[in-house]
mmCIF file with all atom_site columns, all heavy atoms in Angstrom:
data_model
loop_
_atom_site.group_PDB
_atom_site.id
_atom_site.type_symbol
_atom_site.label_atom_id
_atom_site.label_alt_id
_atom_site.label_comp_id
_atom_site.label_asym_id
_atom_site.label_entity_id
_atom_site.label_seq_id
_atom_site.pdbx_PDB_ins_code
_atom_site.Cartn_x
_atom_site.Cartn_y
_atom_site.Cartn_z
_atom_site.occupancy
_atom_site.B_iso_or_equiv
_atom_site.pdbx_formal_charge
_atom_site.auth_seq_id
_atom_site.auth_comp_id
_atom_site.auth_asym_id
_atom_site.auth_atom_id
_atom_site.pdbx_PDB_model_num
ATOM 1   N N   . TYR F 1 66 ? 9.819  -2.781  -4.038 1.00 97.00 ? 69 TYR F N   1
ATOM 2   C CA  . TYR F 1 66 ? 10.168 -2.649  -2.625 1.00 97.00 ? 69 TYR F CA  1
ATOM 3   C C   . TYR F 1 66 ? 8.930  -2.634  -1.731 1.00 97.00 ? 69 TYR F C   1
ATOM 4   O O   . TYR F 1 66 ? 9.011  -3.021  -0.568 1.00 97.00 ? 69 TYR F O   1
ATOM 5   C CB  . TYR F 1 66 ? 11.004 -1.372  -2.422 1.00 97.00 ? 69 TYR F CB  1
ATOM 6   C CG  . TYR F 1 66 ? 12.295 -1.413  -3.216 1.00 97.00 ? 69 TYR F CG  1
ATOM 7   C CD1 . TYR F 1 66 ? 12.560 -0.489  -4.208 1.00 97.00 ? 69 TYR F CD1 1
ATOM 8   C CD2 . TYR F 1 66 ? 13.235 -2.412  -2.955 1.00 97.00 ? 69 TYR F CD2 1
ATOM 9   C CE1 . TYR F 1 66 ? 13.758 -0.549  -4.945 1.00 97.00 ? 69 TYR F CE1 1
ATOM 10  C CE2 . TYR F 1 66 ? 14.406 -2.472  -3.692 1.00 97.00 ? 69 TYR F CE2 1
ATOM 11  C CZ  . TYR F 1 66 ? 14.665 -1.530  -4.683 1.00 97.00 ? 69 TYR F CZ  1
ATOM 12  O OH  . TYR F 1 66 ? 15.836 -1.607  -5.413 1.00 97.00 ? 69 TYR F OH  1
ATOM 13  N N   . ALA F 1 67 ? 7.805  -2.195  -2.261 1.00 97.00 ? 70 ALA F N   1
ATOM 14  C CA  . ALA F 1 67 ? 6.540  -2.271  -1.526 1.00 97.00 ? 70 ALA F CA  1
ATOM 15  C C   . ALA F 1 67 ? 6.175  -3.735  -1.292 1.00 97.00 ? 70 ALA F C   1
ATOM 16  O O   . ALA F 1 67 ? 5.744  -4.114  -0.195 1.00 97.00 ? 70 ALA F O   1
ATOM 17  C CB  . ALA F 1 67 ? 5.437  -1.574  -2.281 1.00 97.00 ? 70 ALA F CB  1
ATOM 18  N N   . VAL F 1 68 ? 6.369  -4.562  -2.322 1.00 96.00 ? 71 VAL F N   1
ATOM 19  C CA  . VAL F 1 68 ? 6.069  -5.980  -2.211 1.00 96.00 ? 71 VAL F CA  1
ATOM 20  C C   . VAL F 1 68 ? 7.024  -6.650  -1.233 1.00 96.00 ? 71 VAL F C   1
ATOM 21  O O   . VAL F 1 68 ? 6.602  -7.423  -0.362 1.00 96.00 ? 71 VAL F O   1
ATOM 22  C CB  . VAL F 1 68 ? 6.148  -6.665  -3.599 1.00 96.00 ? 71 VAL F CB  1
ATOM 23  C CG1 . VAL F 1 68 ? 5.765  -8.136  -3.478 1.00 96.00 ? 71 VAL F CG1 1
ATOM 24  C CG2 . VAL F 1 68 ? 5.252  -5.969  -4.620 1.00 96.00 ? 71 VAL F CG2 1
ATOM 25  N N   . ARG F 1 69 ? 8.306  -6.332  -1.335 1.00 97.00 ? 72 ARG F N   1
ATOM 26  C CA  . ARG F 1 69 ? 9.291  -7.001  -0.488 1.00 97.00 ? 72 ARG F CA  1
ATOM 27  C C   . ARG F 1 69 ? 9.154  -6.602  0.982  1.00 97.00 ? 72 ARG F C   1
ATOM 28  O O   . ARG F 1 69 ? 9.358  -7.437  1.870  1.00 97.00 ? 72 ARG F O   1
ATOM 29  C CB  . ARG F 1 69 ? 10.675 -6.725  -1.040 1.00 97.00 ? 72 ARG F CB  1
ATOM 30  C CG  . ARG F 1 69 ? 10.940 -7.473  -2.363 1.00 97.00 ? 72 ARG F CG  1
ATOM 31  C CD  . ARG F 1 69 ? 12.106 -6.930  -3.124 1.00 97.00 ? 72 ARG F CD  1
ATOM 32  N NE  . ARG F 1 69 ? 13.378 -7.085  -2.421 1.00 97.00 ? 72 ARG F NE  1
ATOM 33  C CZ  . ARG F 1 69 ? 14.529 -6.607  -2.883 1.00 97.00 ? 72 ARG F CZ  1
ATOM 34  N NH1 . ARG F 1 69 ? 14.562 -5.962  -4.065 1.00 97.00 ? 72 ARG F NH1 1
ATOM 35  N NH2 . ARG F 1 69 ? 15.638 -6.781  -2.215 1.00 97.00 ? 72 ARG F NH2 1
ATOM 36  N N   . ASN F 1 70 ? 8.841  -5.355  1.251  1.00 98.00 ? 73 ASN F N   1
ATOM 37  C CA  . ASN F 1 70 ? 8.589  -4.962  2.633  1.00 98.00 ? 73 ASN F CA  1
ATOM 38  C C   . ASN F 1 70 ? 7.420  -5.749  3.213  1.00 98.00 ? 73 ASN F C   1
ATOM 39  O O   . ASN F 1 70 ? 7.446  -6.184  4.381  1.00 98.00 ? 73 ASN F O   1
ATOM 40  C CB  . ASN F 1 70 ? 8.334  -3.460  2.736  1.00 98.00 ? 73 ASN F CB  1
ATOM 41  C CG  . ASN F 1 70 ? 9.580  -2.653  3.082  1.00 98.00 ? 73 ASN F CG  1
ATOM 42  O OD1 . ASN F 1 70 ? 10.232 -2.929  4.069  1.00 98.00 ? 73 ASN F OD1 1
ATOM 43  N ND2 . ASN F 1 70 ? 9.916  -1.690  2.226  1.00 98.00 ? 73 ASN F ND2 1
ATOM 44  N N   . LEU F 1 71 ? 6.384  -5.923  2.401  1.00 97.00 ? 74 LEU F N   1
ATOM 45  C CA  . LEU F 1 71 ? 5.223  -6.675  2.879  1.00 97.00 ? 74 LEU F CA  1
ATOM 46  C C   . LEU F 1 71 ? 5.547  -8.154  3.050  1.00 97.00 ? 74 LEU F C   1
ATOM 47  O O   . LEU F 1 71 ? 5.096  -8.791  3.997  1.00 97.00 ? 74 LEU F O   1
ATOM 48  C CB  . LEU F 1 71 ? 4.062  -6.477  1.899  1.00 97.00 ? 74 LEU F CB  1
ATOM 49  C CG  . LEU F 1 71 ? 2.732  -7.137  2.266  1.00 97.00 ? 74 LEU F CG  1
ATOM 50  C CD1 . LEU F 1 71 ? 2.308  -6.795  3.693  1.00 97.00 ? 74 LEU F CD1 1
ATOM 51  C CD2 . LEU F 1 71 ? 1.645  -6.716  1.282  1.00 97.00 ? 74 LEU F CD2 1
ATOM 52  N N   . LEU F 1 72 ? 6.358  -8.700  2.146  1.00 97.00 ? 75 LEU F N   1
ATOM 53  C CA  . LEU F 1 72 ? 6.796  -10.097 2.292  1.00 97.00 ? 75 LEU F CA  1
ATOM 54  C C   . LEU F 1 72 ? 7.591  -10.280 3.584  1.00 97.00 ? 75 LEU F C   1
ATOM 55  O O   . LEU F 1 72 ? 7.466  -11.297 4.268  1.00 97.00 ? 75 LEU F O   1
ATOM 56  C CB  . LEU F 1 72 ? 7.627  -10.519 1.089  1.00 97.00 ? 75 LEU F CB  1
ATOM 57  C CG  . LEU F 1 72 ? 6.861  -10.824 -0.190 1.00 97.00 ? 75 LEU F CG  1
ATOM 58  C CD1 . LEU F 1 72 ? 7.830  -10.994 -1.367 1.00 97.00 ? 75 LEU F CD1 1
ATOM 59  C CD2 . LEU F 1 72 ? 6.004  -12.079 -0.031 1.00 97.00 ? 75 LEU F CD2 1
ATOM 60  N N   . GLY F 1 73 ? 8.410  -9.296  3.924  1.00 98.00 ? 76 GLY F N   1
ATOM 61  C CA  . GLY F 1 73 ? 9.155  -9.370  5.185  1.00 98.00 ? 76 GLY F CA  1
ATOM 62  C C   . GLY F 1 73 ? 8.227  -9.361  6.383  1.00 98.00 ? 76 GLY F C   1
ATOM 63  O O   . GLY F 1 73 ? 8.458  -10.085 7.362  1.00 98.00 ? 76 GLY F O   1
ATOM 64  N N   . LEU F 1 74 ? 7.195  -8.517  6.312  1.00 98.00 ? 77 LEU F N   1
ATOM 65  C CA  . LEU F 1 74 ? 6.214  -8.471  7.397  1.00 98.00 ? 77 LEU F CA  1
ATOM 66  C C   . LEU F 1 74 ? 5.517  -9.825  7.563  1.00 98.00 ? 77 LEU F C   1
ATOM 67  O O   . LEU F 1 74 ? 5.338  -10.297 8.695  1.00 98.00 ? 77 LEU F O   1
ATOM 68  C CB  . LEU F 1 74 ? 5.195  -7.381  7.120  1.00 98.00 ? 77 LEU F CB  1
ATOM 69  C CG  . LEU F 1 74 ? 4.092  -7.164  8.172  1.00 98.00 ? 77 LEU F CG  1
ATOM 70  C CD1 . LEU F 1 74 ? 4.682  -6.584  9.449  1.00 98.00 ? 77 LEU F CD1 1
ATOM 71  C CD2 . LEU F 1 74 ? 2.987  -6.277  7.636  1.00 98.00 ? 77 LEU F CD2 1
ATOM 72  N N   . LEU F 1 75 ? 5.121  -10.432 6.458  1.00 97.00 ? 78 LEU F N   1
ATOM 73  C CA  . LEU F 1 75 ? 4.465  -11.738 6.530  1.00 97.00 ? 78 LEU F CA  1
ATOM 74  C C   . LEU F 1 75 ? 5.402  -12.787 7.106  1.00 97.00 ? 78 LEU F C   1
ATOM 75  O O   . LEU F 1 75 ? 4.978  -13.630 7.918  1.00 97.00 ? 78 LEU F O   1
ATOM 76  C CB  . LEU F 1 75 ? 3.987  -12.145 5.136  1.00 97.00 ? 78 LEU F CB  1
ATOM 77  C CG  . LEU F 1 75 ? 2.926  -11.252 4.501  1.00 97.00 ? 78 LEU F CG  1
ATOM 78  C CD1 . LEU F 1 75 ? 2.560  -11.763 3.107  1.00 97.00 ? 78 LEU F CD1 1
ATOM 79  C CD2 . LEU F 1 75 ? 1.667  -11.177 5.352  1.00 97.00 ? 78 LEU F CD2 1
ATOM 80  N N   . ALA F 1 76 ? 6.660  -12.756 6.688  1.00 97.00 ? 79 ALA F N   1
ATOM 81  C CA  . ALA F 1 76 ? 7.629  -13.706 7.211  1.00 97.00 ? 79 ALA F CA  1
ATOM 82  C C   . ALA F 1 76 ? 7.780  -13.551 8.725  1.00 97.00 ? 79 ALA F C   1
ATOM 83  O O   . ALA F 1 76 ? 7.852  -14.531 9.473  1.00 97.00 ? 79 ALA F O   1
ATOM 84  C CB  . ALA F 1 76 ? 8.975  -13.542 6.517  1.00 97.00 ? 79 ALA F CB  1
ATOM 85  N N   . PHE F 1 77 ? 7.829  -12.318 9.185  1.00 98.00 ? 80 PHE F N   1
ATOM 86  C CA  . PHE F 1 77 ? 7.946  -12.040 10.617 1.00 98.00 ? 80 PHE F CA  1
ATOM 87  C C   . PHE F 1 77 ? 6.783  -12.677 11.375 1.00 98.00 ? 80 PHE F C   1
ATOM 88  O O   . PHE F 1 77 ? 6.984  -13.326 12.415 1.00 98.00 ? 80 PHE F O   1
ATOM 89  C CB  . PHE F 1 77 ? 7.977  -10.534 10.848 1.00 98.00 ? 80 PHE F CB  1
ATOM 90  C CG  . PHE F 1 77 ? 8.109  -10.124 12.289 1.00 98.00 ? 80 PHE F CG  1
ATOM 91  C CD1 . PHE F 1 77 ? 9.370  -9.899  12.836 1.00 98.00 ? 80 PHE F CD1 1
ATOM 92  C CD2 . PHE F 1 77 ? 6.997  -9.964  13.093 1.00 98.00 ? 80 PHE F CD2 1
ATOM 93  C CE1 . PHE F 1 77 ? 9.507  -9.514  14.179 1.00 98.00 ? 80 PHE F CE1 1
ATOM 94  C CE2 . PHE F 1 77 ? 7.125  -9.584  14.436 1.00 98.00 ? 80 PHE F CE2 1
ATOM 95  C CZ  . PHE F 1 77 ? 8.399  -9.362  14.960 1.00 98.00 ? 80 PHE F CZ  1
ATOM 96  N N   . HIS F 1 78 ? 5.559  -12.482 10.872 1.00 97.00 ? 81 HIS F N   1
ATOM 97  C CA  . HIS F 1 78 ? 4.373  -12.993 11.573 1.00 97.00 ? 81 HIS F CA  1
ATOM 98  C C   . HIS F 1 78 ? 4.223  -14.510 11.395 1.00 97.00 ? 81 HIS F C   1
ATOM 99  O O   . HIS F 1 78 ? 3.362  -15.094 12.055 1.00 97.00 ? 81 HIS F O   1
ATOM 100 C CB  . HIS F 1 78 ? 3.143  -12.252 11.104 1.00 97.00 ? 81 HIS F CB  1
ATOM 101 C CG  . HIS F 1 78 ? 3.065  -10.846 11.643 1.00 97.00 ? 81 HIS F CG  1
ATOM 102 N ND1 . HIS F 1 78 ? 2.980  -10.567 12.995 1.00 97.00 ? 81 HIS F ND1 1
ATOM 103 C CD2 . HIS F 1 78 ? 3.087  -9.637  11.005 1.00 97.00 ? 81 HIS F CD2 1
ATOM 104 C CE1 . HIS F 1 78 ? 2.934  -9.253  13.165 1.00 97.00 ? 81 HIS F CE1 1
ATOM 105 N NE2 . HIS F 1 78 ? 2.996  -8.680  11.980 1.00 97.00 ? 81 HIS F NE2 1
ATOM 106 N N   . LEU F 1 79 ? 5.006  -15.111 10.522 1.00 97.00 ? 82 LEU F N   1
ATOM 107 C CA  . LEU F 1 79 ? 5.053  -16.567 10.421 1.00 97.00 ? 82 LEU F CA  1
ATOM 108 C C   . LEU F 1 79 ? 6.213  -17.115 11.247 1.00 97.00 ? 82 LEU F C   1
ATOM 109 O O   . LEU F 1 79 ? 6.564  -18.290 11.126 1.00 97.00 ? 82 LEU F O   1
ATOM 110 C CB  . LEU F 1 79 ? 5.191  -16.988 8.954  1.00 97.00 ? 82 LEU F CB  1
ATOM 111 C CG  . LEU F 1 79 ? 3.946  -16.812 8.078  1.00 97.00 ? 82 LEU F CG  1
ATOM 112 C CD1 . LEU F 1 79 ? 4.287  -17.026 6.606  1.00 97.00 ? 82 LEU F CD1 1
ATOM 113 C CD2 . LEU F 1 79 ? 2.828  -17.769 8.513  1.00 97.00 ? 82 LEU F CD2 1
ATOM 114 N N   . ASP F 1 80 ? 6.806  -16.238 12.067 1.00 96.00 ? 83 ASP F N   1
ATOM 115 C CA  . ASP F 1 80 ? 7.943  -16.598 12.950 1.00 96.00 ? 83 ASP F CA  1
ATOM 116 C C   . ASP F 1 80 ? 9.172  -17.014 12.158 1.00 96.00 ? 83 ASP F C   1
ATOM 117 O O   . ASP F 1 80 ? 10.021 -17.762 12.677 1.00 96.00 ? 83 ASP F O   1
ATOM 118 C CB  . ASP F 1 80 ? 7.529  -17.710 13.916 1.00 96.00 ? 83 ASP F CB  1
ATOM 119 C CG  . ASP F 1 80 ? 6.429  -17.257 14.878 1.00 96.00 ? 83 ASP F CG  1
ATOM 120 O OD1 . ASP F 1 80 ? 6.479  -16.092 15.292 1.00 96.00 ? 83 ASP F OD1 1
ATOM 121 O OD2 . ASP F 1 80 ? 5.535  -18.068 15.175 1.00 96.00 ? 83 ASP F OD2 1
ATOM 122 N N   . GLU F 1 81 ? 9.291  -16.521 10.944 1.00 97.00 ? 84 GLU F N   1
ATOM 123 C CA  . GLU F 1 81 ? 10.490 -16.770 10.135 1.00 97.00 ? 84 GLU F CA  1
ATOM 124 C C   . GLU F 1 81 ? 11.382 -15.539 10.216 1.00 97.00 ? 84 GLU F C   1
ATOM 125 O O   . GLU F 1 81 ? 11.520 -14.765 9.280  1.00 97.00 ? 84 GLU F O   1
ATOM 126 C CB  . GLU F 1 81 ? 10.077 -17.085 8.671  1.00 97.00 ? 84 GLU F CB  1
ATOM 127 C CG  . GLU F 1 81 ? 9.166  -18.292 8.558  1.00 97.00 ? 84 GLU F CG  1
ATOM 128 C CD  . GLU F 1 81 ? 8.613  -18.477 7.145  1.00 97.00 ? 84 GLU F CD  1
ATOM 129 O OE1 . GLU F 1 81 ? 8.930  -17.634 6.257  1.00 97.00 ? 84 GLU F OE1 1
ATOM 130 O OE2 . GLU F 1 81 ? 7.850  -19.428 6.927  1.00 97.00 ? 84 GLU F OE2 1
ATOM 131 N N   . LEU F 1 82 ? 11.969 -15.365 11.374 1.00 97.00 ? 85 LEU F N   1
ATOM 132 C CA  . LEU F 1 82 ? 12.701 -14.125 11.651 1.00 97.00 ? 85 LEU F CA  1
ATOM 133 C C   . LEU F 1 82 ? 13.937 -13.971 10.776 1.00 97.00 ? 85 LEU F C   1
ATOM 134 O O   . LEU F 1 82 ? 14.270 -12.852 10.355 1.00 97.00 ? 85 LEU F O   1
ATOM 135 C CB  . LEU F 1 82 ? 13.085 -14.057 13.125 1.00 97.00 ? 85 LEU F CB  1
ATOM 136 C CG  . LEU F 1 82 ? 11.906 -14.055 14.116 1.00 97.00 ? 85 LEU F CG  1
ATOM 137 C CD1 . LEU F 1 82 ? 12.419 -13.843 15.522 1.00 97.00 ? 85 LEU F CD1 1
ATOM 138 C CD2 . LEU F 1 82 ? 10.876 -12.983 13.748 1.00 97.00 ? 85 LEU F CD2 1
ATOM 139 N N   . ASP F 1 83 ? 14.651 -15.071 10.488 1.00 97.00 ? 86 ASP F N   1
ATOM 140 C CA  . ASP F 1 83 ? 15.832 -14.987 9.628  1.00 97.00 ? 86 ASP F CA  1
ATOM 141 C C   . ASP F 1 83 ? 15.432 -14.524 8.243  1.00 97.00 ? 86 ASP F C   1
ATOM 142 O O   . ASP F 1 83 ? 16.120 -13.688 7.611  1.00 97.00 ? 86 ASP F O   1
ATOM 143 C CB  . ASP F 1 83 ? 16.537 -16.343 9.553  1.00 97.00 ? 86 ASP F CB  1
ATOM 144 C CG  . ASP F 1 83 ? 17.239 -16.700 10.850 1.00 97.00 ? 86 ASP F CG  1
ATOM 145 O OD1 . ASP F 1 83 ? 17.432 -15.792 11.675 1.00 97.00 ? 86 ASP F OD1 1
ATOM 146 O OD2 . ASP F 1 83 ? 17.569 -17.880 11.032 1.00 97.00 ? 86 ASP F OD2 1
ATOM 147 N N   . ARG F 1 84 ? 14.330 -15.042 7.765  1.00 97.00 ? 87 ARG F N   1
ATOM 148 C CA  . ARG F 1 84 ? 13.847 -14.670 6.431  1.00 97.00 ? 87 ARG F CA  1
ATOM 149 C C   . ARG F 1 84 ? 13.390 -13.197 6.412  1.00 97.00 ? 87 ARG F C   1
ATOM 150 O O   . ARG F 1 84 ? 13.665 -12.457 5.463  1.00 97.00 ? 87 ARG F O   1
ATOM 151 C CB  . ARG F 1 84 ? 12.682 -15.563 6.017  1.00 97.00 ? 87 ARG F CB  1
ATOM 152 C CG  . ARG F 1 84 ? 12.194 -15.365 4.600  1.00 97.00 ? 87 ARG F CG  1
ATOM 153 C CD  . ARG F 1 84 ? 11.219 -16.489 4.243  1.00 97.00 ? 87 ARG F CD  1
ATOM 154 N NE  . ARG F 1 84 ? 10.765 -16.409 2.849  1.00 97.00 ? 87 ARG F NE  1
ATOM 155 C CZ  . ARG F 1 84 ? 10.055 -17.342 2.244  1.00 97.00 ? 87 ARG F CZ  1
ATOM 156 N NH1 . ARG F 1 84 ? 9.720  -18.444 2.905  1.00 97.00 ? 87 ARG F NH1 1
ATOM 157 N NH2 . ARG F 1 84 ? 9.675  -17.197 0.981  1.00 97.00 ? 87 ARG F NH2 1
ATOM 158 N N   . ALA F 1 85 ? 12.717 -12.783 7.478  1.00 98.00 ? 88 ALA F N   1
ATOM 159 C CA  . ALA F 1 85 ? 12.298 -11.385 7.578  1.00 98.00 ? 88 ALA F CA  1
ATOM 160 C C   . ALA F 1 85 ? 13.484 -10.467 7.590  1.00 98.00 ? 88 ALA F C   1
ATOM 161 O O   . ALA F 1 85 ? 13.523 -9.437  6.891  1.00 98.00 ? 88 ALA F O   1
ATOM 162 C CB  . ALA F 1 85 ? 11.432 -11.190 8.828  1.00 98.00 ? 88 ALA F CB  1
#
Side-chain angles (χ1 to χ4, degrees):
Y69 299 117
V71 182
R72 289 163 63 183
N73 265 305
L74 183 51
L75 283 170
L77 180 70
L78 296 179
F80 181 92
H81 287 297
L82 288 170
D83 297 321
E84 300 172 359
L85 299 186
D86 289 343
R87 186 170 184 172

